[in-house]
Amino acid sequence: MTKAVRVHQVGGPEVLTYEDVDVPPPGQGEVRMRQHAVGLNFIDTYYRTGLYKAPALPFIAGNEASGEVVSVGPGVTNFHPGDRVAYYFNLGGYASERNIPADKLVKLPDMITHEQAAVLMLKGLTVFYLLHKTFRVETGHRVLIHAAAGGIGLLACQWAKALGANVIGTVGSKEKAELALANGCDHVILYNEEDFVARVKQISRGELCDVVYDGVGKTTFPGSLSCLKPRGMFVSFGNASGPVPPFSLLELNNHGSLFATRPKLNDYVSKRSELIEAADTMFAAVINGKLHVPIHHAYALKDAQKAHRDLESRATTGASILRP
């Protein structure tokens, strides 16, 4: 038996249940791993509330973690007991030990800690595909990043700046503004005190942005469209304030022949080769000093309810982890 946090019915943080679960021996192509750190993400709340539908109830929450290999199942030849590994995989992460398909694992370089890996495998890989694949950020681009002081936001600001972009971020407090500025933002907008569209126009001298990365959703739409120059791209990758409401495609025309996309990580790392490319690039950015991993909060796994309450109330900055 091992400890895990399961959801027996969707709802608020109170449905996260810390309990004993049985983990069978790893099956064909699987690895059993002992987890040292688990990433906390807004997507975890989407599954918990039922916004994203889990395959079945009950389910174990969590989508990224790191640890070490305990044993391997039949057919696994590229991983061995003692290997340091990490993964992004839908559900099953909030546990002390688990089985996972070997092809979803990556080996950790010696210079990457378990804590760093636990927040990089979803948040870091998300930033990788957003900035390198969905819209390729290059020197001279002006980018707007909503929730710039969040787990993804701080990584995105750093990496966009390292790629040569001019970075504008929106945040909810002066403390978060200072954090964003220290992590690559050239300009920070306090969205509770300022009209972020008007400020973007002022900062850019009317030239607007090449791309908007929006993980907030309902409250920042449609303002995000008004921040884009003609043929700019609106990238909606999260729903922290609720889903973007349905809108007419004519809105994209009216704002200057805009592009809009709603990507997800799974579609950018569906092939093993894509996962390895993304992880290698991301780990190299950390090792080379381009990317600092800001872990500001750590909770015991048994305190997952509190972690979710803090996350949803916007009480956290940077990345958060759970310790099994």
Side-chain angles (χ1 to χ4, degrees):
M1 302 290 284
T2 190
K3 291 291 187 180
V5 175
R6 289 206 291 182
V7 175
H8 293 267
Q9 61 179 19
V10 297
E14 69 277 359
V15 304
L16 297 169
T17 307
Y18 184 68
E19 59 191 22
D20 291 321
V21 297
D22 182 49
V23 181
Q28 180 72 34
E30 288 188 331
V31 164
R32 178 163 178 163
M33 61 180 290
R34 180 176 298 117
Q35 305 201 138
H36 294 302
V38 179
L40 177 70
N41 296 280
F42 247 102
I43 193 174
D44 304 347
T45 71
Y46 302 160
Y47 280 108
R48 190 206 72 223
T49 61
L51 178 63
Y52 288 3
K53 186 174 177 59
L57 290 169
F59 65 87
I60 297 174
N63 296 274
E64 65 176 342
S66 68
E68 62 180 296
V69 174
V70 175
S71 59
V72 301
V76 177
T77 59
N78 54 336
F79 292 99
H80 303 89
D83 284 348
R84 300 171 70 251
V85 293
Y87 66 84
Y88 159 71
F89 189 65
N90 281 355
L91 303 180
Y94 287 13
S96 296
E97 293 193 11
R98 70 167 300 177
N99 293 331
I100 188 166
D103 63 1
K104 300 300 181 182
L105 293 175
V106 297
K107 292 184 180 180
L108 297 185
D110 291 340
M111 296 177 68
I112 301 295
T113 69
H114 284 298
E115 290 77 15
Q116 289 174 323
V119 303
L120 284 170
M121 292 306 296
L122 193 160
K123 288 177 278 293
L125 290 180
T126 294
V127 173
F128 167 80
Y129 85 74
L130 289 175
L131 273 61
H132 293 80
K133 301 293 184 178
T134 304
F135 181 95
R136 188 177 293 277
V137 173
E138 298 177 348
T139 298
H141 281 150
R142 183 178 294 109
V143 308
L144 174 62
I145 300 171
H146 287 301
I152 287 178
L154 291 181
L155 293 173
C157 291
Q158 291 179 58
W159 214 337
K161 187 64 179 177
L163 292 170
N166 185 281
V167 183
I168 305 172
T170 67
V171 297
S173 70
K174 291 181 180 179
E175 293 76 16
K176 290 182 177 182
E178 293 176 1
L179 191 58
L181 288 169
N183 282 270
C185 266
D186 295 288
H187 307 276
V188 178
I189 301 169
L190 295 168
Y191 62 79
N192 289 324
E193 301 178 12
E194 305 172 282
D195 180 334
F196 75 82
V197 176
R199 282 288 289 128
V200 166
K201 290 179 179 178
Q202 181 184 48
I203 291 166
S204 68
R205 298 179 180 178
E207 294 183 1
L208 304 178
C209 299
D210 297 277
V211 60
V212 173
Y213 292 111
D214 192 340
V216 176
K218 185 178 179 179
T219 61
T220 46
F221 185 86
S224 290
L225 300 185
S226 299
C227 293
L228 286 163
K229 63 175 59 175
R231 302 193 305 276
M233 181 174 284
F234 170 60
V235 183
S236 173
F237 67 93
N239 318 285
S241 68
V244 172
F247 66 95
S248 169
L249 285 176
L250 282 176
E251 285 298 303
L252 303 180
N253 177 282
N254 293 338
H255 284 84
S257 301
L258 301 182
F259 296 87
T261 183
R262 181 58 170 86
K264 65 179 185 292
L265 176 56
N266 283 347
D267 293 327
Y268 286 85
V269 293
S270 59
K271 298 177 181 177
R272 178 73 180 169
S273 59
E274 293 173 329
L275 174 61
I276 297 302
E277 176 201 1
D280 285 350
T281 304
M282 175 181 67
F283 291 146
V286 175
I287 293 169
N288 294 336
K290 293 181 179 179
L291 205 58
H292 166 68
V293 185
I295 302 171
H296 295 164
H297 309 273
Y299 304 83
L301 182 62
K302 65 182 178 63
D303 295 328
Q305 291 186 14
K306 174 174 171 50
H308 275 227
R309 289 191 182 98
D310 288 351
L311 185 66
E312 290 178 300
S313 69
R314 309 290 179 87
T316 63
T317 59
S320 302
I321 61 169
L322 302 170
R323 297 187 186 279

